[in-house]
Amino acid sequence: ELKVEQNPLFLSMQEGKNYTIYCNYSTTSDRLYWYRQDPGKSLESLFVLLSNGAVKQEGRLMASLDTKARLSTLHITAAVHDLSATYFCAVLTGTASKLTFGTGTRLQVTL
Amino acid sequence: NAGVTQTPKFRVLKTGQSMTLLCAQDMNHEYMYWYRQDPGMGLRLIHYSVGEGTTAKGEVPDGYNVSRLKKQNFLLGLESAAPSQTSVYFCASRPPEALGTQYFGPGTRLLVL
């Protein structure tokens, strides 16, 4: 059974600081997704990482994938308040493109 | 394009009552999914469908049934609601091509008393 673990579960950071969210998964997969969820809202796709060594960047967020280590990271550079949200990683599993989600990391950026 | 829509947005049920949640997508996607989201547990897959007329069980299917009579609609039914089914339910769809990400609906908040 595939397990997807994120850490930390909660992150409070000051504006302007850098930090990294980690996503570990337990079995082989060649695709990993990052989503963002604002409170009371739906999930918004951020990144799709397709292969080992893949790196994607959008604004202050950069995601990477190491399939050998079964690890993905979401790096936040110079955080701003607008990045406050819950971030989920999800791993592609089995047939029908099913996703197994991590428990999420709630990010709070304070002034 | 409306994308993925869900009906209703919020519902309160009494234990033992039944209801159907409707998911509709106008993107002509083949694959559709139902998830539930509970605090501290992320999203868990309930049922999914890879095309019209097909359904399959996900990680937590007990207490739920689904139907996909039309390609654009995916229905989630609760025959006899239980307090443990209090949750936020999300529907998603995706195209079959390899790079396709899942697109999520706005969610249905369900409270079972």
Side-chain angles (χ1 to χ4, degrees), chain A residues 1 31 33 35 37 40-45 47-48 50 88 92 95-104, chain B residues 31 33 35 37 40-43 45 48 50 59 90 94 97-107 109:
Chain A
E1 179 189 341
R31 204 165 309 155
Y33 300 79
Y35 287 87
Q37 185 180 36
K41 302 292 186 182
S42 187
L43 280 80
E44 173 192 354
S45 178
F47 301 110
V48 180
L50 300 177
F88 292 94
L92 189 72
T95 58
S97 300
K98 300 192 296 291
L99 293 179
T100 299
F101 281 81
T103 50
Chain B
Y31 296 176
Y33 309 83
Y35 295 88
Q37 182 177 30
M41 300 189 73
L43 279 78
L45 182 65
Y48 64 97
V50 299
E59 181 186 357
F90 286 99
R94 62 153 280 169
E97 61 258 28
L99 298 183
T101 189
Q102 291 187 15
Y103 296 86
F104 283 81
R109 190 173 298 273

Side-chain angles (χ1 to χ4, degrees), chain A residues 40-41, chain B residues 8-12 87-89 107-111:
Chain A
K41 302 292 186 182
Chain B
K9 289 183 171 52
F10 176 70
R11 183 78 181 268
V12 179
S87 188
V88 181
Y89 292 86
T108 294
R109 190 173 298 273
L110 177 65
L111 175 61

Side-chain angles (χ1 to χ4, degrees), chain A residues 60-71:
Chain A
R60 300 174 188 275
L61 300 177
M62 183 173 71
S64 66
L65 178 62
D66 181 344
T67 57
K68 294 179 182 177
R70 298 176 187 166
L71 170 69

